[in-house]
Amino acid sequence: QVQLVELGGGLVQAGGSLRLSCVVSGSFVSIATRNWYRQAPGKQRELVAGITRDGSTVYADSVKGRFTISRDNAKNTVYLQTDSLKTEDTAVYYCYAVVFDLDGRPRSFWGQGTQVTVSS
């Protein structure tokens, strides 16, 4: 069984920073794509940032220059450094991973979500 556990959410003032982390645990061969999504109340879930195993990254236009995604493959962990936070960044942030199981098949997994609230 593969699990994703997120840490690092919380309440912060506008202009502040938070560092989110997501660790993958369980039985698997390797982890491919790692993404962060977010969902604000009344809105659809949206991709915030993604990183491939070799380190290629992609960001939503709304967070470019403010958020940084990184990964530590040895620790099965992905990070999202969020700087210069705005009130519109308030949302539940979800970690997503594509994991190759013990049969070599790719499978998708989601974390439980962590709340980020930015106050004005």
Side-chain angles (χ1 to χ4, degrees):
Q1 185 72 14
V2 174
Q3 288 186 322
L4 276 62
V5 178
E6 298 127 335
L7 294 172
L11 173 64
V12 64
Q13 286 190 330
S17 299
L18 285 173
R19 190 189 195 208
L20 309 182
S21 64
C22 173
V23 61
V24 179
S25 63
S27 300
F28 51 89
V29 174
S30 64
I31 307 170
T33 299
R34 305 291 303 270
N35 292 344
W36 285 97
Y37 288 79
R38 68 186 180 186
Q39 187 166 19
K43 295 188 177 182
Q44 290 188 330
R45 190 172 297 188
E46 63 173 353
L47 176 66
V48 175
I51 185 168
T52 62
R53 186 168 180 82
D54 64 1
S56 298
T57 59
V58 63
Y59 294 95
D61 287 343
S62 59
V63 307
K64 282 181 182 177
R66 300 188 298 119
F67 290 11
T68 304
I69 189 171
S70 61
R71 64 189 287 171
D72 184 334
N73 292 331
K75 295 181 179 180
N76 297 327
T77 301
V78 66
Y79 305 95
L80 185 68
Q81 178 66 40
T82 65
D83 298 318
S84 302
L85 283 162
K86 305 176 181 180
T87 55
E88 51 262 45
D89 293 318
T90 295
V92 178
Y93 284 69
Y94 295 92
C95 176
Y96 167 89
V98 174
V99 176
F100 286 92
D101 64 19
L102 298 181
D103 294 321
R105 296 173 299 188
R107 298 180 61 192
S108 300
F109 295 91
W110 289 90
Q112 80 284 358
T114 186
Q115 177 70 47
V116 171
T117 302
V118 184
S119 63
S120 58

